[in-house]
Amino acid sequence: MSTASTDTKKKMKILVVEDDPTVRTLVKAVLEHRGNDVAVAETAGEGEDKALNTKFDMIILDLRLPDGNGYDVCAKIRDEGVTTPVLVLSAEHETDVKVKVLNVGADDYLTKPFNSDELMARLDAIARRSNNKDSEKELTCGSLTVDLISRKMIINENEVDLTNNEFNLLVYFVRNKGRIISQEELASNVWDIHFDTQTNYINVYISYLRKKMRDHTEFDYIETVRKKGFMFQCDEE
């Protein structure tokens, strides 16, 4: 793992949950070299405890841990209301694993082995997405409101809880309403990942979002544009 030479734009407090001492030491060294404050945990239990009781700017979470797994840790802290961005590390390359990781609330996924430049690029991208918020408190689209503070969707006065990935997808849709958005654009701009367009990943999340909307309205906000992508439309004010 080579040492990245550029500096982070913002120094962060980062939790590294990793049982492999070699990987843990190297990741910690790279992060500290960039000026970050790093805490470590070697088990799922220790990582979960620290994530729930200490405020971090970022969590780096190994998928396989001696007393559990990253899936459960991520799902647990999300259930408890922790919105800290999570980057999952794993030696598994299968697409379904990546989808499952993102589905439980992780923000990105990095396969082992990786070098420090790739690690920092992923962390910078996650931080950029998390911090790229202006003074807006909400977005509106007809009867739909996106609360940017509570990270919830409100349709016809009904508050709807969303996963991190559903929320980020909805925000991108609303901010780009009225134009066709390709799957490639969604993958790149919502998750900063280039997925194989033959996978069903994007469609799965759009299906999740549509279902939650249809529980409260008959209007179809997300129009599928054949062979081109999707268009987000507002109902009448």
Side-chain angles (χ1 to χ4, degrees), residues 3 62 96 107-108 132 174 178 186 192 195 204 215 226:
T3 301
D62 187 33
D96 59 341
D107 295 84
D108 206 345
N132 188 25
V174 175
L186 288 173
D192 203 45
F195 288 102
V204 167
D215 286 341
R226 190 169 180 269

Side-chain angles (χ1 to χ4, degrees), residues 23-154:
V23 176
R24 186 174 64 247
T25 299
L26 287 172
V27 170
K28 185 173 186 291
V30 168
L31 296 174
E32 289 180 337
H33 178 73
R34 297 277 294 268
N36 298 294
D37 181 10
V38 183
V40 298
E42 301 179 22
T43 66
E46 183 185 4
E48 183 179 304
D49 181 67
K50 289 185 175 181
L52 290 174
N53 294 290
T54 304
K55 175 64 177 176
F56 292 98
D57 298 304
M58 190 80 63
I59 298 172
I60 298 176
L61 176 64
D62 187 33
L63 197 57
R64 301 301 176 190
L65 296 162
D67 60 332
N69 61 69
Y71 298 119
D72 293 341
V73 173
C74 191
K76 173 65 174 179
I77 66 174
R78 292 298 188 233
D79 286 345
E80 293 295 325
V82 175
T83 59
T84 305
V86 175
L87 171 64
V88 167
L89 306 179
S90 177
E92 300 184 46
H93 294 252
E94 293 79 6
T95 298
D96 59 341
V97 173
K98 298 177 184 180
V99 171
K100 183 178 178 181
V101 163
L102 295 169
N103 196 36
V104 295
D107 295 84
D108 206 345
Y109 181 101
L110 184 59
T111 54
K112 301 176 183 178
F114 53 86
N115 61 44
S116 62
D117 289 327
E118 184 178 10
L119 171 65
M120 296 313 304
R122 291 298 181 97
L123 293 180
D124 287 343
I126 295 171
R128 184 169 62 250
R129 293 198 300 270
S130 298
N131 296 326
N132 188 25
K133 299 173 185 174
D134 50 28
S135 59
E136 287 179 296
K137 294 184 179 179
E138 64 180 32
L139 303 171
T140 59
C141 186
S143 302
L144 180 146
T145 299
V146 184
D147 189 322
L148 299 175
I149 305 303
S150 67
R151 296 177 67 83
K152 291 183 178 180
M153 172 174 65
I154 303 168

